[in-house]
Amino acid sequence: MKEQGASFCRTQLPRVSRTFALNIPLLPQPLDLAVTVAYLLCRIADTLEDEASGQDQEALLEELGTLVSLAPGWEAQARSFARRARLALRDEAPPAEAELVLETLTVLQTLASLPSWVHPPIARCVRTMTGGMRQMQRLHGGSGQVMGLPDLQATFMYCYYVAGVVGEMLTGLFIASSPRVAWRHERLTPRAPAFGRALQLTNILKDVREDLDRGCCWLPRDRMAAHGLTPATLALPSLRSRAVALMDELVEVARRELEVALEYSLALPREEPGLRLFCLYPLFFAVATLDAVEGNPAVLEPEPVKIDRETVVTLMRLTQECVDSDEALRALYARCSRIPRDGMEARL
């Protein structure tokens, strides 16, 4: 059963995340499986937030936050949870995410099979995440989806609940798994939330049109209003120049968070290249994504703006070459931060 659960988790990962399927295998064992399980549990929460609604959503999120504690009777409760959660999803829910929800018990059984030091950071993360999701829906969702948050502080709070806590969880796992990391905790811990927030804010900007089409928006309404926009008018072609100006303003906010994320990554010891690359891959992908979003009206069009495979491969190669040099990584970050959308290979 243990091997079957681990096999399911490793197989399911690339079906629900291309990015983390690239960097999680770089981690040493059993940290790689621990982070895989943690990611899948967070993805279950994210699927409930995106694809379930109303009272079902809040109750299921609360139950998931309880299940990760693995209290007595959790297996029977997880079986019931998985059936009810799958039925609560919209018919349009992505098949891989729906399958993952249905296999919640398998993911939790794999968590239970991992060493005891893995459990507290993961349980705390999922409890905080699901509680935060419920709070944001109660405060800002009204009777349906969230359509804009009041201000940048609220957007940052949302980013903390769905990603900043993941940065904290990863730091806890890194510290518990490696004495080399443990003595650097004073540098890592205060920067951990920004690492997660930076990636989440980048995703919010990249996915703004997709979110709008699903009936939700995570951008700050006060910044939209400053540009003469609302969630309802954000994607109007006639207001495209205003929307691009708003997005560029928020891109700068995300870049400042990424600078802290870089310092977080560099605080990891050079003797742990797998941990460094685990953080550096998504960090540099986010840098390239912001380059693609900045000044680009296409980000408000239905077709998603993405970095291409060639850029992904180039960034992976370059970070591998620079992984043991803080100076080289800082220089690479500086070069990548302002690269034109069609100029990655030429500049590097």
Side-chain angles (χ1 to χ4, degrees):
M1 179 63 71
K2 176 182 176 181
E3 291 75 14
Q4 290 177 345
S7 177
F8 169 80
C9 291
R10 295 186 195 280
T11 302
Q12 196 72 8
L13 178 66
R15 298 188 63 211
V16 296
S17 174
R18 289 181 298 172
T19 297
F20 283 92
L22 293 174
N23 66 343
I24 288 179
L26 300 170
L27 297 171
Q29 296 181 354
L31 188 59
D32 62 334
L33 184 56
V35 175
T36 297
V37 168
Y39 178 83
L40 294 178
L41 289 169
C42 292
R43 192 57 178 250
I44 292 169
D46 187 58
T47 301
L48 293 174
E49 182 191 43
D50 289 345
E51 306 296 342
S53 61
Q55 293 180 341
D56 284 340
Q57 180 193 73
E58 181 164 351
L60 289 166
L61 285 170
E62 183 176 14
E63 188 171 356
L64 180 62
T66 301
L67 276 170
V68 291
S69 297
L70 303 179
W74 65 266
E75 289 185 281
Q77 185 182 359
R79 288 189 183 92
S80 172
F81 167 87
R83 290 193 297 269
R84 287 180 284 110
R86 177 62 185 89
L87 290 172
L89 302 183
R90 298 183 309 133
D91 292 340
E92 298 82 5
E97 276 80 353
E99 180 183 356
L100 176 60
V101 168
L102 195 57
E103 293 292 336
T104 300
L105 174 61
T106 302
V107 180
L108 288 171
Q109 287 172 330
T110 309
L111 172 63
S113 74
L114 288 164
S116 59
W117 56 264
V118 164
H119 299 169
I122 294 178
R124 179 191 176 275
C125 174
V126 177
R127 283 196 305 268
T128 305
M129 179 180 291
T130 54
M133 288 175 172
R134 289 160 50 218
Q135 177 179 318
M136 298 302 286
Q137 286 290 341
R138 285 196 300 267
L139 290 176
H140 308 297
S143 59
Q145 295 277 17
V146 173
M147 279 303 285
L149 294 167
D151 49 34
L152 190 58
Q153 182 179 0
T155 296
F156 264 52
M157 182 59 69
Y158 173 73
C159 290
Y160 170 75
Y161 283 137
V162 299
V165 293
V166 176
E168 293 175 340
M169 174 199 67
L170 291 170
T171 305
L173 293 174
F174 293 169
I175 289 171
S177 68
S178 170
R180 294 191 186 98
V181 178
W183 69 268
R184 296 177 179 234
H185 73 93
E186 290 184 356
R187 292 180 60 193
L188 290 164
T189 301
R191 296 178 172 89
F195 177 80
R197 283 197 311 260
L199 302 183
Q200 183 63 30
L201 187 53
T202 299
N203 284 337
I204 286 173
L205 296 176
K206 171 180 69 73
D207 297 335
V208 61
R209 178 58 189 264
E210 180 182 344
D211 286 341
L212 286 170
D213 289 345
R214 288 193 301 109
C216 64
C217 178
W218 304 104
L219 302 186
R221 287 195 299 268
D222 65 338
R223 300 317 310 152
M224 284 189 268
H227 291 272
L229 297 165
T230 68
T233 63
L234 184 58
L236 290 178
S238 60
L239 301 178
R240 192 54 43 88
S241 62
R242 297 183 188 182
V244 169
L246 167 70
M247 296 292 286
D248 287 353
E249 177 184 320
L250 296 175
V251 163
E252 288 306 309
V253 174
R255 288 193 193 279
R256 291 196 292 271
E257 289 287 280
L258 281 176
E259 289 170 5
V260 181
L262 176 65
E263 295 307 312
Y264 175 90
S265 303
L266 298 183
L268 292 165
R270 300 177 188 183
E271 297 84 0
E272 297 281 4
L275 271 63
R276 278 195 158 200
L277 288 171
F278 171 86
C279 295
L280 290 168
Y281 278 10
L283 188 156
F284 277 96
F285 297 161
V287 170
T289 298
L290 292 179
D291 290 336
V293 169
E294 187 173 17
N296 186 3
V299 76
L300 279 306
E301 298 293 341
E303 185 68 24
V305 170
K306 298 180 180 179
I307 56 174
D308 58 35
R309 179 171 176 78
E310 182 180 2
T311 296
V312 169
V313 171
T314 298
L315 289 172
M316 290 169 60
R317 172 177 59 81
L318 290 170
T319 52
Q320 291 168 18
E321 293 172 356
C322 300
V323 67
D324 61 351
S325 170
D326 290 2
E327 181 180 359
L329 286 168
R330 290 184 196 280
L332 177 63
Y333 180 88
R335 295 205 308 276
C336 288
S337 293
R338 299 292 176 179
I339 294 172
R341 287 188 292 278
D342 58 353
M344 173 68 70
E345 193 65 45
R347 280 284 294 272
L348 299 177

